Amino acid sequence: MVKARPRKDLLDNLHKELSSGIISKMRPFGQSLKHSLENARIDSNIALWIEEDYCSPPLAMEKEAVLDRYFDDINVEKVRSEEEGWNMIGDKPMLWDEK
């Protein structure tokens, strides 16, 4: 599970990158990151999403390519499964409803 503080003034730009296909074309993580960010939730000004990742440190490529531009204070918590993680945050409002 990823928890990060979105830079609200830049969320429109992130949404445009997601919609245009720029992010989904990034290899090897683009499709997964696009899915995760499109389904991200918000809770007390913190964005939440589930991201499958095998990098050390976690999300290294994603941070360099995308996340560090749009989010501050990025933290990762391990969850048992992707399904469990999404179930944990499923009752939160969508990030994109807050734009």
Side-chain angles (χ1 to χ4, degrees), residues 33-52:
L33 183 61
K34 178 184 185 283
H35 171 77
S36 295
L37 290 176
E38 285 180 339
N39 292 287
R41 307 300 175 139
I42 190 93
D43 185 32
S44 301
N45 295 316
I46 300 296
L48 307 164
W49 69 91
I50 307 305
E51 182 74 29
E52 186 175 348

Side-chain angles (χ1 to χ4, degrees), residues 11 26 44-45 51 54 59 62 64 67-68 80 85-86:
L11 281 181
M26 294 178 176
S44 301
N45 295 316
E51 182 74 29
Y54 302 100
L59 301 175
E62 293 90 334
E64 182 178 337
L67 299 178
D68 283 344
R80 282 190 258 163
W86 285 115

Side-chain angles (χ1 to χ4, degrees), residues 3 7 11 19 23 27 31-33 35 37-40 45 49 59 65-66 68 72 74 80 82-83 85 95:
K3 297 180 179 183
R7 296 178 182 163
L11 281 181
S19 299
I23 291 176
R27 298 289 175 245
Q31 287 290 334
S32 177
L33 183 61
H35 171 77
L37 290 176
E38 285 180 339
N39 292 287
N45 295 316
W49 69 91
L59 301 175
V66 178
D68 283 344
D72 292 316
I74 301 170
R80 282 190 258 163
E82 185 175 351
E83 179 181 4
L95 172 64

Side-chain angles (χ1 to χ4, degrees), residues 4-98:
R5 190 167 35 87
R7 296 178 182 163
K8 294 215 178 215
D9 57 323
L10 297 176
L11 281 181
D12 281 338
N13 293 345
L14 175 57
H15 197 259
K16 286 175 189 169
E17 283 193 32
L18 288 168
S19 299
S20 71
I22 290 171
I23 291 176
S24 65
K25 293 175 186 169
M26 294 178 176
R27 298 289 175 245
F29 58 83
Q31 287 290 334
S32 177
L33 183 61
K34 178 184 185 283
H35 171 77
S36 295
L37 290 176
E38 285 180 339
N39 292 287
R41 307 300 175 139
I42 190 93
D43 185 32
S44 301
N45 295 316
I46 300 296
L48 307 164
W49 69 91
I50 307 305
E51 182 74 29
E52 186 175 348
D53 186 70
Y54 302 100
C55 294
S56 182
L59 301 175
M61 291 185 292
E62 293 90 334
K63 285 180 178 180
E64 182 178 337
V66 178
L67 299 178
D68 283 344
R69 268 184 292 162
Y70 297 110
F71 297 94
D72 292 316
D73 305 323
I74 301 170
N75 294 294
V76 177
E77 290 180 17
K78 190 171 187 172
V79 293
R80 282 190 258 163
S81 71
E82 185 175 351
E83 179 181 4
E84 179 182 297
W86 285 115
N87 287 339
M88 291 169 62
I89 63 173
D91 63 333
K92 309 291 185 212
M94 297 293 290
L95 172 64
W96 306 110
D97 294 343
E98 297 289 310

